[in-house]
């Protein structure tokens, strides 16, 4: 069976999409024809100015939008591997990723020149063809840099490595997950089928483009389908009112975000006047689908967002290493706390501590097998081997499955499952309960080591303004709702929880704080 790569798919649907806007960002709008041409032109420039061999790694330090997409597609036309970098990381973090992946070249926008400094020792190609610092809107890129005909069909092979995406580092030093073009195509086609993407779709994006969520779920699915992307983020910053305004201005059909973003949109909604609330609620009518992922979605937030927008958020589950694997139904009921069933082409199973398959309603580790599962960790054969049980990738997440085939994620084996006094405790379960306390805005449960109990149940809290809450008061309230061994034994009050770029709480940082002392 023929497997198309994303650059080839874009070229194939040009007959229908040539003059359609592919991506609109801060000051630049680019059609599908010009995106195809620009990526080929940039590939030519990279090849002429630098010795790029098949399989070379090229770092991408470009803001989300048309230029980012052109840079990635250009890397692929040279048969190189794209390594997206986080815009907000310090130069030391960039250096780690570039060195660990063995990048020989960095494609960067000029605005990063000063931050790169002298710490980055590899060659840097400053890409300004689509720079939004240039006020001139480029309507026809074919005119500013004519395409050489011998570049027009330079597409990668499906078996080629396409991306190295670095894990969040929430449980150790970041590792580079290697994903081939065929695996990307499998991930895209699964989501396009399940969520019924089409060329008439229009998605607004605020997600960073160094994680699988924004890269595949938003950009690659949209470009594969001939849909439109409107980029409203800027250097990782987020403005809830600006996003609400974008909803009202563009009338998009799709939106995908992490729970933190939905929280901030809901807070902005609550804080504004009644007239604007009506306008914002009305702006949600154009959406056919709103998706939440990358972190657990609380039932309270799901209900609150439904009241605001009229939409029941579709929750899904995936990882850098697997792409998306589970999703609630596009057409059908969605249960709070459950992430749905296997996506098209994906198989899942639950395995207990002895490696035996678990039955319905029994918890165990979620394992995944699909054509979209990554090839392995870059230069880490032992870590790769340890991550698989035969053909099954071991997610490290505890889950349960009901008779209908729907899954519920109970937390990480290493972080969110706490063993205290012989009991196994699910941190997300306790967090979900404690968030119902009227004084608590947010919370996270961790398990610092303890000589007597093995681990203690410890909670980090963010309280509502003007509220006070002691550990004794929290435990007294919790006794009515939780088993005694699930009650927090230690408490820490914070202004905000430490989170990574995708909104996930970085629990190793919280464990360090508990080591420094807490009530």
């Amino acid at each position: 069976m023929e497997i198309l790569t994303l650059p080839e798919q874009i070229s194939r649907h040009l007959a229908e999409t040539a003059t359609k806007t592919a991506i609109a960002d801060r000051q630049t709008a680019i059609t599908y024809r010009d995106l195809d041409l620009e990526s080929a032109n940039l590939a030519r420039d990279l090849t002429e100015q630098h010795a790029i061999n098949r399989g070379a790694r090229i770092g991408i330090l470009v803001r989300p939008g048309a230029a980012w997409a052109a840079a990635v597609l250009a890397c692929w036309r040279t048969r190189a591997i794209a390594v997206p970098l986080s815009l907000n990381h310090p130069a030391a973090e960039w250096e780690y990723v570039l060195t660990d992946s063995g990048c020989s070249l960095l494609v960067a926008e000029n605005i990063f020149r000063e931050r790169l400094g002298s710490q980055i020792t590899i060659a840097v190609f400053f890409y300004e063809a689509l720079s939004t610092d240039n006020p001139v809107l480029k309507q026809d890129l074919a005119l500013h840099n004519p395409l050489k005909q011998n570049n027009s069909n330079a597409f990668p092979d499906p078996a080629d490595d396409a991306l190295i995406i670095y894990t969040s580092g929430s449980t150790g030093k970041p590792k580079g997950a290697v994903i081939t073009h065929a695996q990307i195509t499998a991930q895209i086609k699964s989501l396009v089928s399940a969520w019924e993407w089409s060329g008439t779709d229009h998605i607004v994006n605020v997600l960073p483009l160094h994680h699988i969520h924004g890269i595949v779920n938003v950009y690659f699915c949209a470009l594969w389908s001939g849909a439109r992307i409107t980029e409203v983020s800027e250097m990782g910053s987020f403005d809830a009112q600006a996003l609400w305004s974008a909803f009202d201005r563009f009338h998009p059909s799709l939106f995908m975000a992490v729970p933190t973003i939905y929280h901030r949109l809901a807070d902005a909604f609550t804080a504004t006047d009644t007239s604007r609330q009506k306008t914002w609620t009305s702006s949600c009518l154009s959406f056919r689908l709103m998706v939440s992922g990358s972190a657990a979605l609380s039932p309270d937030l799901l209900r609150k967002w439904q009241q605001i927008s009229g939409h029941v958020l579709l929750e899904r589950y995936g990882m850098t290493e697997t792409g998306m694997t589970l999703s609630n139904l596009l057409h059908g009921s969605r249960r709070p706390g459950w992430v749905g069933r296997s996506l098209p082409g994906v198989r899942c199973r639950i395995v207990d501590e002895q490696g035996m398959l678990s039955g319905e309603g029994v918890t165990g580790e979620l394992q995944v097998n699909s054509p979209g599962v990554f090839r392995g960790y870059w230069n880490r054969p032992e870590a790769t081997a340890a991550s698989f049980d035969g053909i099954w990738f071991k997610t490290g997440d505890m889950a349960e499955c009901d008779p209908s085939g729907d899954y519920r994620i109970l937390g990480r084996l290493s972080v969110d499952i706490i063993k205290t006094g012989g009991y196994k405790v699910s941190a997300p379960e306790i967090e979900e309960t404690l968030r119902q306390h009227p004084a608590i805005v947010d919370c996270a449960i961790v398990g610092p080591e303890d000589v007597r109990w093995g681990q203690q149940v410890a909670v980090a809290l963010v309280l509502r303004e003007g509220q006070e809450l002691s550990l004794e008061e929290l435990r007294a309230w919790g006794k009515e709702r939780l088993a005694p061994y699930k009650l927090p034994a230690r408490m820490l009050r914070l202004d905000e929880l430490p989170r990574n770029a995708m909104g996930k709480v970085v629990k190793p940082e919280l464990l360090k704080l508990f080591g420094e002392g807490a009530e």
Side-chain angles (χ1 to χ4, degrees):
M1 184 178 68
E2 181 185 27
I3 299 176
L4 296 181
T5 63
L6 180 57
E8 194 171 4
Q9 168 72 358
I10 292 172
S11 289
R12 286 201 178 190
H13 64 51
L14 279 178
E16 294 81 29
T17 63
T19 60
K20 285 183 59 178
T21 297
I23 304 169
D25 54 37
R26 297 154 295 276
Q27 293 181 0
T28 302
I30 188 170
T31 65
Y32 271 94
R33 176 196 60 190
D34 287 344
L35 177 61
D36 186 57
L37 291 169
E38 179 65 13
S39 65
N41 287 330
L42 179 56
R44 179 198 64 198
D45 293 344
L46 293 175
T47 302
E48 290 179 350
Q49 298 181 35
H50 300 274
I52 299 175
N53 299 316
R54 180 180 181 181
R57 278 76 66 202
I58 299 178
I60 306 294
L61 187 59
V62 178
R63 287 173 291 180
W68 183 90
V72 171
L73 293 171
C75 286
W76 291 348
R77 286 179 180 268
T78 69
R79 307 291 291 274
I81 307 169
V83 185
L85 301 180
S86 169
L87 305 183
N88 294 321
H89 282 181
E93 293 289 337
W94 292 340
E95 176 66 13
Y96 168 78
V97 171
L98 295 171
T99 301
D100 186 75
S101 60
C103 283
S104 56
L105 179 68
L106 172 64
V107 176
E109 284 187 276
N110 195 55
I111 61 168
F112 298 106
R113 187 185 294 267
E114 185 176 343
R115 285 175 59 192
L116 287 169
S118 59
Q119 192 160 0
I120 306 303
T121 57
I122 64 172
V124 181
F125 180 98
F126 286 104
Y127 174 44
E128 298 302 319
L130 289 169
S131 172
T132 55
D133 296 329
N134 186 339
V136 178
L137 184 66
K138 293 186 168 58
Q139 299 284 355
D140 193 342
L141 295 169
L143 297 178
H144 98 270
N145 195 4
L147 175 68
K148 291 183 178 179
Q149 291 300 314
N150 61 2
N151 276 32
S152 60
N153 293 314
F155 297 121
D157 186 275
D160 287 347
D161 292 335
L163 289 172
I164 300 179
I165 301 179
Y166 275 75
T167 60
S168 63
S170 59
T171 57
K173 204 68 173 172
K175 300 187 292 291
V178 183
I179 309 171
T180 69
H181 285 281
Q183 289 159 355
I184 288 174
T185 294
Q187 292 180 20
I188 294 170
K189 293 177 75 172
S190 178
L191 291 180
V192 167
S193 172
W195 295 344
E196 297 181 4
W197 277 87
S198 76
T200 62
D201 276 317
H202 179 185
I203 189 164
V204 169
N205 182 60
V206 292
L207 295 169
L209 296 183
H210 63 284
H211 280 282
I212 202 81
H213 193 169
I215 293 174
V216 174
N217 297 22
V218 177
Y219 267 65
F220 290 176
C221 283
L223 294 175
W224 182 277
S225 305
R228 172 178 175 143
I229 302 167
T230 293
E231 182 62 58
V232 295
S233 64
E234 174 69 25
M235 296 294 293
S237 62
F238 176 76
D239 184 327
Q241 291 204 19
L243 183 54
W244 274 118
S245 297
F247 289 170
D248 188 44
R249 177 184 175 189
F250 297 113
H251 306 292
S253 60
L254 289 167
F255 182 62
M256 300 180 192
V258 298
T260 301
I261 288 176
Y262 287 109
H263 266 296
R264 294 178 66 178
L265 287 170
D267 288 343
F269 183 92
T270 302
T272 197
D273 58 77
T274 303
S275 175
R276 186 171 292 180
Q277 285 181 346
K278 290 180 179 178
T279 299
W280 287 356
T281 295
S282 179
S283 71
C284 295
L285 294 175
S286 65
F287 288 95
R288 67 173 185 83
L289 176 63
M290 290 181 164
V291 180
S292 178
S294 295
L297 177 70
S298 72
D300 282 347
L301 179 57
L302 184 144
R303 287 189 289 268
K304 186 173 184 178
W305 188 253
Q306 184 178 10
Q307 293 170 356
I308 290 171
S309 68
H311 288 269
V312 179
L313 292 172
L314 183 149
E315 197 169 2
R316 80 342 173 245
Y317 167 87
M319 298 180 68
T320 302
E321 293 89 342
T322 65
M324 299 306 106
T325 58
L326 300 168
S327 170
N328 278 298
L329 296 174
L330 178 63
H331 306 292
S333 61
R334 300 167 190 169
R335 285 188 290 168
W338 293 76
V339 291
R341 57 195 61 179
S342 298
L343 282 159
V346 178
R347 293 192 297 160
C348 295
R349 70 179 189 179
I350 293 178
V351 176
D352 64 21
E353 288 183 343
Q354 286 72 44
M356 303 297 291
L357 293 179
S358 297
E360 294 172 357
V362 179
T363 62
E365 182 184 35
L366 177 67
Q367 297 186 353
V368 177
N369 171 248
S370 82
V373 172
F374 79 140
R375 184 172 67 76
Y377 296 112
W378 181 258
N379 280 347
R380 286 176 169 81
E382 292 182 358
T384 300
S387 297
F388 284 88
D389 180 3
I391 62 172
W392 295 91
F393 175 76
K394 300 186 290 185
T395 66
D397 282 324
M398 289 283 288
E400 64 173 317
C401 182
D402 72 4
S404 68
D406 283 343
Y407 285 83
R408 181 185 181 199
I409 305 300
L410 300 175
R412 295 290 294 170
L413 281 166
S414 57
V415 178
D416 283 336
I417 300 299
I418 298 168
K419 294 183 178 181
T420 177
Y423 291 100
K424 284 185 180 180
V425 175
S426 168
E429 177 192 4
I430 303 174
E431 291 162 356
E432 184 175 313
T433 301
L434 296 187
R435 288 193 187 103
Q436 299 172 23
H437 192 288
I440 295 175
V441 173
D442 204 1
C443 65
I445 296 291
V446 292
E449 294 184 1
D450 181 82
V451 174
R452 181 177 181 183
W453 299 99
Q455 288 178 286
Q456 288 183 310
V457 177
V459 61
L461 296 175
V462 178
L463 298 179
R464 298 190 187 281
E465 187 174 355
Q467 296 289 319
E468 294 291 336
L469 184 67
S470 68
L471 178 60
E472 290 75 17
E473 291 170 335
L474 179 63
R475 286 176 60 85
W477 179 89
K479 284 180 181 178
E480 301 297 322
R481 298 161 177 84
L482 294 166
Y485 57 87
K486 296 181 181 180
L487 296 173
R490 300 177 67 187
M491 188 174 83
L492 182 66
R493 291 180 291 273
L494 299 174
D495 291 331
E496 61 180 11
L497 300 177
R499 296 181 182 273
N500 63 20
M502 296 306 294
K504 293 182 180 179
V505 175
V506 185
K507 293 197 171 182
E509 289 190 19
L510 286 180
L511 285 170
K512 291 180 183 178
L513 293 176
F514 277 99
E516 297 168 2
E519 182 179 344

